[in-house]
């Protein structure tokens, strides 16, 4: 017969699980609300009431209103969700694998590699046979981001996958890409420099149904593989020595997590440009709310990342009336104080 201590422990575990499930449900509701608000707001003349009615009765809208709602606002709102979710899970996987709160696709140079690919396409007018610059540019951005992820993985595999080595490789890659981008912009004409800088800021207004579909598929694939290893990643978060003591391969876990993070972040930045701080801040917020159990932490990071970028998308439309500010500027402006606040709160909580 179970003792009173064991019954009390089981009760506390059930309480904690219920609390985390309720928090996940609350975060999901917040994300849904943010998505709806993002969809119903914008600089065009289409008001929220007409847009809401048009979702259920599209035939009641004029042609221009249908284009605004279904070809502009809906892809942008959905892109904010899937890109935010991709950056959230990429940041969560990276921070767990490297046991470093500053690790993210942005700080490891993957986002900068995507900017380098896009800048090359813009400066040299690269167009692959049969497709225009509109497709070549995100394709090159994805290829460079994926190559950056593979390069970090290869170096880590060759020289050892300890956290310091991987982070140093990422920082070196970041500065290398930044220097090459500056060189390309130095030799380019003014029009190409302007286009390159605008792309690097990060904007959701480039979203199309095709790009939304591509990022959604990559997010689903990455999440599917990540959720299969939640127990191992939770154990790894508890310490490398403990993970080794129960027979886990740290090297394999770390490479697998970085591979998933590279794919998710490469697909995200390829279509919208570099968006900082979401991949850095979302895992911290999730960890504070849901703890280190990756059964809740990983879905939470996806939801929090989606909510953050969706809220940033709304702010980008409201800061200046009639103008949509690139969302990368909003995440940078808001991300810095939020990140500093989270670090201070975490330090006080210890």
């Amino acid at each position: 017969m179970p003792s009173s201590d064991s019954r009390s422990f089981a009760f506390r575990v059930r309480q904690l699980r219920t609390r985390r499930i309720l928090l996940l449900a609350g975060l999901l509701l917040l994300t849904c609300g943010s998505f709806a608000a993002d969809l119903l707001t914008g600089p065009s003349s289409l008001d929220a009431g007409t847009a809401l009615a048009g979702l259920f009765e599209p035939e009641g809208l004029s042609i221009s209103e249908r284009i605004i709602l279904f070809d502009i606002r809906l892809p942008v709102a959905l892109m904010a969700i899937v890109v935010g979710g991709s950056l959230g899970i990429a940041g969560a996987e990276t921070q767990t694998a490297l046991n470093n709160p500053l690790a993210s696709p942005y700080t490891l140079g993957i986002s900068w590699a995507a900017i380098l690919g896009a800048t090359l396409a813009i400066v040299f007018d690269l167009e692959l046979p049969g497709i225009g610059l509109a497709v070549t540019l995100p394709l090159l951005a994805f290829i460079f981001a994926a190559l950056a992820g593979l390069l970090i993985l290869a170096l880590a595999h060759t020289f050892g996958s300890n956290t310091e080595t991987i982070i140093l490789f990422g920082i070196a890659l970041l500065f290398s890409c930044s220097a090459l981008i500056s060189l390309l912009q130095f030799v380019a004409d003014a029009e190409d420099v302007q286009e390159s800088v605008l792309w690097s800021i990060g904007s959701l207004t480039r979203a199309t149904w095709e790009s939304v579909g591509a990022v959604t598929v990559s997010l689903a694939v990455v999440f599917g593989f990540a959720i299969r290893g939640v127990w191992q990643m939770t154990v790894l978060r508890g310490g490398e020595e403990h993970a080794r003591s129960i027979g886990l391969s740290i090297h394999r876990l770390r490479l697998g997590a970085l591979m998933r993070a590279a794919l998710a972040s490469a697909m995200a930045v390829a279509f919208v440009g570099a968006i900082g701080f979401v991949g850095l801040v979302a895992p911290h917020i999730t960890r504070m709310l849901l703890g280190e159990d990756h059964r809740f932490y990983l879905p939470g990071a996806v939801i929090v990342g989606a909510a953050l970028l969706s809220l940033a998308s709304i702010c980008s439309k409201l800061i200046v009336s009639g103008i949509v500010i690139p969302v990368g500027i909003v995440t940078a402006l808001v991300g810095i104080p939020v990140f500093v606040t989270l670090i201070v709160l975490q330090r006080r909580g210890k």
Side-chain angles (χ1 to χ4, degrees):
M1 189 171 177
S3 66
S4 60
D5 287 344
S6 61
R7 284 198 299 271
S8 175
F9 176 73
F11 176 73
R12 285 199 298 272
V13 169
R14 284 197 299 273
Q15 256 191 335
L16 182 60
R17 187 172 56 190
T18 303
R19 175 179 169 273
R20 287 171 170 169
I21 291 172
L22 290 175
L23 276 171
L24 273 178
L27 290 170
L28 194 58
L29 280 176
L30 171 67
T31 307
C32 291
S34 176
F35 169 76
D38 193 17
L39 181 62
L40 299 178
T41 56
S44 64
S45 57
L46 184 62
D47 60 80
T50 307
L52 186 61
L55 285 175
F56 301 99
E57 294 181 4
E59 61 278 1
L61 299 174
S62 65
I63 293 177
S64 61
E65 288 174 336
R66 273 189 229 174
I67 292 173
I68 292 170
L69 183 59
F70 293 105
D71 293 340
I72 299 176
R73 286 193 188 178
L74 197 50
V76 166
L78 287 172
M79 194 58 132
I81 297 293
V82 293
V83 167
S86 297
L87 294 175
I89 195 169
E93 290 264 78
T94 308
Q95 289 182 13
T96 296
L98 302 181
N99 192 27
N100 190 307
L102 295 178
S104 77
Y106 200 82
T107 54
L108 286 182
I110 295 173
S111 298
W112 284 90
I115 298 173
L116 176 60
T119 305
L120 274 172
I122 293 169
V123 172
F124 295 107
D125 292 326
L126 298 178
E127 291 187 27
L128 296 177
I131 58 176
L133 181 63
V135 179
T136 304
L137 194 150
L139 184 60
L140 270 183
F142 169 73
I143 290 172
F144 272 68
L147 286 176
L150 290 174
L151 179 62
I152 292 175
L153 290 173
L155 291 171
H157 184 72
T158 304
F159 297 102
S161 61
N162 65 71
T163 57
E164 292 81 8
T165 306
I166 296 173
I167 290 171
L168 287 175
F169 283 147
I171 292 172
L173 182 65
L174 186 156
F175 283 107
S176 299
C177 290
S178 175
L180 289 172
I181 292 166
S182 299
L183 177 62
L184 288 171
Q185 291 176 342
F186 179 74
V187 300
D189 59 41
E191 187 178 343
D192 288 343
V193 171
Q194 183 182 24
E195 190 176 351
S196 169
V197 170
L198 286 175
W199 194 91
S200 67
I201 290 173
S203 173
L204 295 169
T205 55
R206 308 184 187 102
T208 62
W209 282 109
E210 290 79 10
S211 59
V212 171
V215 180
T216 303
V217 169
S218 74
L219 174 59
V221 170
V222 168
F223 185 78
F225 278 101
I227 209 70
R228 293 171 60 187
V230 289
W231 282 113
Q232 292 91 334
M233 294 301 282
T234 303
V235 173
L236 178 61
R237 187 64 186 166
E240 290 188 18
E241 289 186 8
H242 177 55
R244 284 197 183 93
S245 70
I246 61 173
L248 293 180
S249 170
I250 306 299
H251 180 72
R252 185 180 297 174
L253 276 178
R254 191 162 284 155
L255 289 182
L258 291 177
M259 197 176 295
R260 294 190 293 270
L263 174 61
S265 54
M267 286 299 290
V269 300
F271 292 103
V272 300
I275 295 178
F277 288 99
V278 174
L280 190 63
V281 172
H284 285 275
I285 296 175
T286 309
R287 196 175 293 116
M288 290 175 70
L289 293 173
L290 299 169
E292 301 286 359
D293 187 339
H294 278 51
R295 292 177 302 168
F296 303 96
Y297 175 59
L298 283 185
V302 173
I303 296 172
V304 171
L308 285 178
L309 196 54
S310 185
L311 291 169
S313 176
I314 297 170
C315 291
S316 71
K317 303 172 187 175
L318 301 178
I319 293 175
V320 180
S321 178
I323 295 176
V324 180
I325 295 175
V327 74
I329 296 175
V330 178
T331 58
L333 285 173
V334 178
I336 294 171
V338 169
F339 182 66
V340 171
T341 304
L342 288 174
I343 294 294
V344 171
L345 289 175
Q346 283 181 337
R347 296 290 180 191
R348 286 181 178 175
K350 288 184 177 178

